[in-house]
Amino acid sequence: MEFIIGALIGYFFGSINMANIISKKRGIDIKKVGSNNAGASNVFISVGKVDGIIVGAFDILKSFAAALIVYLIFSQNFTAGVIAGGAAIIGHIFPFWMKFKGGKGLAPFMGTVLFFDWKLFIFFAILIIAITLITDFIGISALTITAIIPFYAFYLKHEIIIVVVFSVVSVIMWCKHIENIKRIANGTEIGFLRKNKLKK
């Protein structure tokens, strides 16, 4: 029951899509510009850097908050906290009030990682920055870190349900990035640095 309640709380937190809220205030439909993705990276590129940073920070905090709240409600049940974080990622990707068309999950994924292991969060943050600067595509960094974490959780001998949560979330995020992979392959994906060059 704790896991079910935790998942519901996490999904509710995750379904709050700040990308959609901020872009609408700017008179922009975030699902019709850039990558058509209601997430922080598309807001950063298509709406504005400051707005993108705000959305990214909010998305990290919403999944972290969901995990922490559930963890505290259920007497420091760490597994329930991770489940809530995982559900927040799912809620972000498939928000019911946006016809299940949300973001791709990287920022809330990082929020769940922050709850799971703050040292891993710092490592992933550095890795994301490095890969994005080298390749110009944040999607590649998302694919990299989501491929790592299930094995990391398994290596640390966490409960199998935690490994399953991270594995399921990782598979979903990989599937959500299929179109990005195709665009990168055919040279039509817009990256951070490339976008800046086009503006100049």
Side-chain angles (χ1 to χ4, degrees):
M1 183 59 69
E2 291 182 358
F3 292 170
I4 294 174
I5 294 174
L8 292 174
I9 292 174
Y11 180 84
F12 172 77
F13 271 72
S15 66
I16 303 172
N17 192 287
M18 187 58 66
N20 187 60
I21 294 171
I22 284 186
S23 62
K24 279 190 174 181
K25 287 186 176 181
R26 301 287 185 263
I28 299 172
D29 185 345
I30 195 62
K31 292 185 291 183
K32 294 182 179 179
V33 296
S35 63
N36 304 319
N37 174 56
S41 60
N42 195 27
V43 172
F44 186 94
I45 294 173
S46 303
V47 181
K49 294 180 181 178
V50 174
D51 288 334
I53 292 171
I54 291 173
V55 171
F58 178 86
D59 288 345
I60 290 173
L61 289 175
K62 71 181 180 183
S63 58
F64 174 76
L68 182 61
I69 289 171
V70 169
Y71 171 74
L72 295 175
I73 288 176
F74 295 120
S75 303
Q76 300 184 352
N77 186 330
F78 184 74
T79 301
V82 173
I83 290 174
I89 300 169
I90 301 301
H92 176 82
I93 298 173
F94 304 112
F96 69 92
W97 64 281
M98 291 176 63
K99 298 181 179 179
F100 303 100
K101 296 179 180 179
K104 295 183 179 176
L106 178 58
F109 176 86
M110 287 297 289
T112 302
V113 171
L114 178 58
F115 171 79
F116 175 69
D117 185 336
W118 67 268
K119 292 180 181 178
L120 184 63
F121 172 84
I122 293 174
F123 172 72
F124 276 174
I126 294 172
L127 193 60
I128 288 171
I129 293 171
I131 293 175
T132 303
L133 288 175
I134 292 170
T135 67
D136 198 20
F137 302 122
I138 196 168
I140 295 178
S141 61
L143 296 175
T144 302
I145 64 174
T146 52
I148 292 173
I149 197 164
F151 297 100
Y152 180 79
F154 180 78
Y155 174 76
L156 292 182
K157 298 180 180 179
H158 281 283
E159 288 187 43
I160 189 63
I161 192 168
I162 291 179
V163 178
V164 170
V165 167
F166 281 125
S167 297
V168 170
V169 167
S170 296
V171 169
I172 292 174
M173 288 178 65
W174 268 73
C175 291
K176 290 292 291 184
H177 280 84
I178 289 176
E179 292 303 317
N180 297 78
I181 296 172
K182 290 180 180 178
R183 288 195 296 267
I184 290 173
N186 62 33
T188 59
E189 179 77 326
I190 298 176
F192 287 175
L193 301 180
R194 185 181 305 176
K195 181 68 173 179
N196 293 337
K197 289 177 181 177
L198 290 174
K199 286 182 176 179
K200 290 181 179 179

